[in-house]
Every structure is written in C-alpha cells, then in structure tokens.
Amino acid sequence: MEAVIAVFALLFVLFVGLGVYATVKVVGAAKRGVDRGITQARRTVEDHTLRAKSFAQPGAAGELAQLRLKLRTSMRATQDALQAAVAEDESLKESLGLFERLSAHGHELDDELKRLESEPDRTALTERLPGLRERTERITHSADSLRWAARDRARRFADDDLDSLSAQIDLESGALRHWTEPEPQPASSSQSASSQQSASSGQHASSSRPGSSSQSAAPPPWPEATAADATTAGQTWPDTAQSSPEQEPARPAITPPAARPTYPWQKKPRPESTT
C-alpha cells in the first residue's frame, strides 16, 4: 500500500513539474513575442517620424533625419539578410560577426545623430554635418557590401544547383526518349539489306508482267536422282500385277446349277400321285 502511494505521489510531482515547465516556456515565448511586437512598433513609429521630419524640417535638422533613416534602413536590411542566410550557409558566421562589429559603430552614430536633433546651435550643427555624412556613408557602404555579397553567394549556389539539375533532367529526358534515336547499323548489313530489297523488287516486277514467266529464262533443272531413287525407279513388279484385262479368262454370265447337299434331318419328298 505504501508503495502504491509513493508511485502516485511521484507521478503527481512529475506532472506538476511538467506543467510548470510548459507554463514557463509558454510565458517566455509570449513575452518574447510581445517584446518583439513592441520593438517593431517602436521602430515603425520612429521610421515614420524620421521620414516626416526629413520632409517637413528644412536645413540641418531635416538632413539629420535623412541620415538616421538611411543608416537604420541599411543596417536593418543587412541584419535580416545575414541572419536568414546563416541558417543555410554556415560560412556566413564570420560575416555575421563582422556585421555585429559594424553594428556597434552604427548604433553609436545613430545615438549621436539623435542627440544632435535637439542641438540648439544650428551653426555648430551645420559645421559637423560633413563629418557625420561621411561616417554614415562609410557604415552604410560596408553594410550594403556585406548584404549584396551574401545575396550574390546565395544566388551563385542556386545557379550552380540549377545548372546541375538541368543537366540531370536533360540526361533523364534523353534516356526516356531512347526509342526516337535510330540504332546505327553496320555497313555490311545495310548493303545486304539493300541488295535483298533490290532483288525482291526485281522479282515482284518480273512476276507482275503478263507472260513473263514463260518467255523469260527456263525453269531450273530437276536434281539428279540419288542411289535410293535409282533403285526404286529400276524395280519391276510381277506380271500378274501388270496384266491387262484382255489376258484374264472369261467368266460365264450365269453360274450353272449344282446339286444341293442333302441332310439327314430333312424329309424325303413325296411322289406326286397321278390320281
């Protein structure tokens, strides 16, 4: 009884532990999904705000907004491309590590541009714009180079795979259509076939003409008789078998009457009376 209770208690603890673990995993996944959604929403709002500032605010403030928007767009596109490609190509891990180092410089520049948006001294801001523009161009150029290199690599692999697949499909298609290609025949067989065809055509042509069989060459002679045939040909039969009807004796037309045999059990014939 105590063993049964211990087993049930162990099963209860096991089910409770599994429930707690599943609950923690579900809550963690939901929290990550919520955080991801909040981050995406915040990023979308910031992008729309920067796009609006770049069109609405002229001068240095508008140019700062354009630089931030360009930097964020390039870095985000490169990050998404590398993270999607590294799952299929392990050799891109080094490129992803280089992008992480570049991303640190990008975040630093984005924070600096964001602080300069509230700078009241427009003259000092205008003087620093060429350096900020150059840094932004260098970072975005490096990010674009990594992104396009990863895309070119993936496209190259896809092209190589497509070429190999096309070659295999062409080979399989040729194997499936093997009956369409005529088999090569030797020269001797082709000549003999042509001679037989010409001979048969000549025979058909000669047989189709009226009277050609009698007027053409004579039929071939019969073969000579063998020894057995000669013996059979020289064999003679008795004269009786070859006698003609004239040599047979004449038979009478009606057979003459003969005495009928008399048996003891037969009655004697009674004489006829004269009276």
Side-chain angles (χ1 to χ4, degrees):
M1 188 63 181
E2 295 178 356
V4 175
I5 295 175
V7 169
F8 277 107
L10 182 60
L11 291 176
F12 178 76
V13 171
L14 181 61
F15 281 120
V16 170
L18 289 176
V20 172
Y21 177 76
T23 303
V24 170
K25 297 293 288 184
V26 169
V27 170
K31 184 179 180 181
R32 287 192 298 271
V34 171
D35 295 340
R36 191 181 304 112
I38 293 175
T39 304
Q40 184 68 26
R42 185 184 298 113
R43 184 183 305 165
T44 304
V45 171
E46 290 180 357
D47 291 343
H48 286 290
T49 303
L50 292 174
R51 190 173 289 108
K53 287 182 179 180
S54 63
F55 287 107
Q57 296 180 358
E63 190 171 356
L64 288 175
Q66 291 179 4
L67 292 177
R68 285 192 65 193
L69 184 62
K70 181 180 180 180
L71 178 64
R72 291 163 64 92
T73 303
S74 177
M75 298 296 289
R76 187 181 305 118
T78 304
Q79 181 180 3
D80 295 341
L82 290 178
Q83 287 180 354
V86 75
E88 300 177 358
D89 191 359
E90 296 292 335
S91 61
L92 292 177
K93 287 184 177 181
E94 185 176 357
S95 300
L96 188 59
L98 294 175
F99 174 75
E100 290 177 356
R101 294 172 57 185
L102 181 65
S103 181
H105 292 279
H107 284 295
E108 182 180 354
L109 178 60
D110 184 67
D111 295 337
E112 185 176 356
L113 291 174
K114 187 176 181 180
R115 288 194 304 267
L116 291 176
E117 286 180 356
S118 58
E119 178 64 35
D121 191 356
R122 298 302 176 179
T123 305
L125 181 59
T126 305
E127 293 177 356
R128 296 187 60 180
L129 276 178
L132 296 173
R133 191 183 300 112
E134 182 181 359
R135 287 177 61 188
T136 304
E137 289 293 337
R138 290 177 61 184
I139 293 175
T140 55
H141 177 72
S142 299
D144 294 342
S145 298
L146 281 175
R147 183 174 68 254
W148 284 110
R151 290 177 179 176
D152 293 342
R153 181 182 178 85
R155 186 175 66 253
R156 179 63 179 177
F157 286 163
D159 292 341
D160 293 342
D161 189 17
L162 182 60
D163 293 340
S164 177
L165 182 60
S166 300
Q168 293 179 4
I169 290 176
D170 293 340
L171 183 62
E172 183 67 19
S173 300
L176 292 176
R177 296 193 184 96
H178 63 88
W179 66 86
T180 58
E181 298 180 359
E183 297 181 357
Q185 297 181 356
S188 58
S189 61
S190 61
Q191 291 178 1
S192 62
S194 61
S195 61
Q196 290 178 2
Q197 184 176 3
S198 60
S200 62
S201 62
Q203 291 178 3
H204 284 299
S206 61
S207 62
S208 61
R209 296 175 184 174
S212 60
S213 61
S214 60
Q215 297 178 2
S216 60
W222 295 97
E224 296 181 0
T226 59
D229 295 339
T231 304
T232 305
Q235 184 178 2
T236 58
W237 297 93
D239 295 340
T240 58
Q242 297 180 357
S243 61
S244 61
E246 297 177 356
Q247 297 179 0
E248 294 180 357
R251 294 180 180 180
I254 300 176
T255 305
R260 299 177 63 183
T262 305
Y263 298 98
W265 60 81
Q266 293 181 349
K267 292 180 180 183
K268 296 181 179 180
R270 296 174 64 182
E272 297 180 355
S273 59
T274 56
T275 58

